[in-house]
Amino acid sequence: MHRLHYARAVKSEYEIACLAQANVIALQGHEAAKKAFMNGKSEFETQLYYLAAVQQDQTQMPYRNIIGFGGHSAVLHYQHYDYNAQNMTQPQSFLIDAGAQCHGYAADITRCHSRGSELYQHLINAMTKAQLSMCAMVKPGVNFADLHHQMHHLVLDLLQQFNLVQGSRDELEASRISSAFFPHGLGHLLGLQVHDIGGWQHDELGNTQKPPAHYPFLRCTKALEKNMVVTIEPGLYVIDSLLQRWRDNGFAHLLNNTTIDQLRPLGGVRIEDNIVVADQPINLTQ
Ligand code: GLY
Ligand code: MN
Ligand code: MN
């Protein structure tokens, strides 16, 4: 089984075609969900519009769709679908992490949308730029854990740009405060399973490389090879329980509570694309 798990990280032409088609289908759902959100539908109704557009029911989805408005967008695996209609007089944020399948192969796509919030739209734009710069680095020979580490530098850039943190760059880096806002991994292998198997496996014998202790949730530590398919999905969220951990550890002075309070009702952002590893990486989601 170790040999099989190791080999299946590199996809065949057929598998990449299936993953590409799963993306085409899922993007139709994302378009319909965005429209539903903008028109004031509830989370529950937005989910129904998504499913109707992809013509797949929830049991056919590679994972349970995440459809979060406002503060719900900061709940990482938010699994509820709120029935309440939106208050259309208030600005609103929307994070949707939703897929589709083609012959069993998964798409795993996250998008964010703003209705009337300039702050949230700016954050989406800035994160999208950072995420795309990371997608362009998904090349053979690159270690995924190194990409994850580089993403933390970009997240810290964003935290400074949006005045969510303060203090010297050296102190901010030493405190690892970017992990309070970006607590999950940069991405994972994608295939028949949404979190495809073998992300830590380093050889055919089943030896593994676990992530560093300070990045415990990183699902892939591999050196990338041509035709592996991975997700790139950085995020930035206001998660009070995590911010409290940094406050408790003596880093309260690094947090700008005024801007954090402004972002809290909008939750957070994540942008997620599916990328084929190559010298010119192929983005299946664009
Ligand atoms: N939708 C699950 C994930 O992004 O990993
Ligand atoms: Mn996802
Ligand atoms: Mn993912």
Side-chain angles (χ1 to χ4, degrees):
M1 290 306 290
H2 289 319
R3 289 178 194 280
L4 189 59
H5 293 336
Y6 189 70
R8 76 182 243 195
V10 175
K11 268 55 183 183
S12 68
E13 205 178 313
Y14 165 78
E15 291 180 293
I16 290 172
C18 291
L19 290 163
Q21 183 58 19
N23 267 258
V24 168
I25 297 167
L27 285 171
Q28 289 166 2
H30 277 264
E31 202 50 48
K34 178 183 176 185
K35 204 178 289 176
F37 163 71
M38 292 296 182
N39 287 335
K41 302 294 182 194
S42 68
E43 291 175 354
F44 180 74
E45 289 167 319
T46 300
Q47 158 77 339
L48 296 183
Y49 275 93
Y50 184 96
L51 295 175
V54 300
Q55 292 281 288
Q56 295 181 9
D57 69 33
Q58 184 63 69
T59 64
Q60 295 169 286
M61 292 285 126
Y63 56 94
R64 200 171 147 88
N65 291 341
I66 297 165
I67 305 233
F69 298 169
H72 296 160
S73 63
V75 179
L76 291 187
H77 280 276
Y78 178 66
Q79 295 288 281
H80 183 68
Y81 302 112
D82 204 329
Y83 293 110
N84 295 320
Q86 295 179 58
N87 177 350
M88 296 299 276
T89 64
Q90 296 284 324
Q92 184 61 295
S93 57
F94 174 30
L95 182 151
I96 171 168
D97 183 343
Q101 61 137 322
C102 173
H103 302 310
Y105 286 85
D108 180 10
I109 301 171
T110 307
R111 290 289 181 267
C112 294
H113 306 288
S114 167
R115 209 198 58 240
S117 166
E118 228 174 86
L119 168 62
Y120 196 67
Q121 189 59 55
H122 284 154
L123 193 56
I124 294 171
N125 295 348
M127 179 56 87
T128 301
K129 197 169 159 209
Q131 187 262 3
L132 287 174
S133 74
M134 199 48 54
C135 292
M137 296 168 73
V138 177
K139 298 184 178 186
V142 171
N143 188 288
F144 200 82
D146 291 341
L147 286 183
H148 176 78
H149 186 63
Q150 288 184 50
M151 191 65 226
H152 270 274
H153 290 295
L154 295 183
V155 168
L156 190 51
D157 291 346
L158 294 180
L159 292 171
Q160 290 186 298
Q161 185 184 328
F162 284 84
N163 293 317
L164 291 159
V165 296
Q166 56 208 4
S168 76
R169 182 78 185 199
D170 283 351
E171 197 182 356
L172 290 165
E173 282 184 11
S175 70
R176 297 195 186 283
I177 205 149
S178 56
S179 293
F181 294 88
F182 171 38
H184 57 75
L186 176 64
H188 48 84
L189 295 172
L190 182 70
L192 283 169
Q193 288 167 286
V194 62
H195 299 148
D196 221 18
I197 202 157
W200 291 354
Q201 195 174 328
H202 273 234
D203 60 28
E204 293 186 318
L205 303 177
N207 293 307
T208 57
Q209 175 74 53
K210 299 224 165 55
H214 48 278
Y215 298 139
F217 301 114
L218 183 58
R219 294 179 192 270
C220 181
T221 57
K222 285 172 99 72
L224 297 176
E225 290 175 43
K226 186 172 160 55
N227 290 346
M228 287 182 177
V229 179
V230 296
T231 67
I232 295 292
E233 51 179 304
L236 191 167
Y237 321 84
V238 174
I239 302 175
D240 283 311
S241 56
L242 289 180
L243 296 177
Q244 194 55 43
R245 204 178 292 172
W246 265 259
R247 287 193 185 100
D248 292 346
N249 287 332
F251 298 118
H253 61 289
L254 298 178
L255 295 167
N256 182 341
N257 293 317
T258 309
T259 46
I260 289 172
D261 288 348
Q262 285 163 359
L263 184 57
R264 183 178 293 103
L266 301 164
V269 294
R270 177 167 67 255
I271 307 292
E272 178 174 26
D273 287 346
N274 303 166
I275 313 292
V276 183
V277 179
D279 289 329
Q280 299 290 332
I282 301 162
N283 191 330
L284 300 176
T285 315
Q286 295 294 314

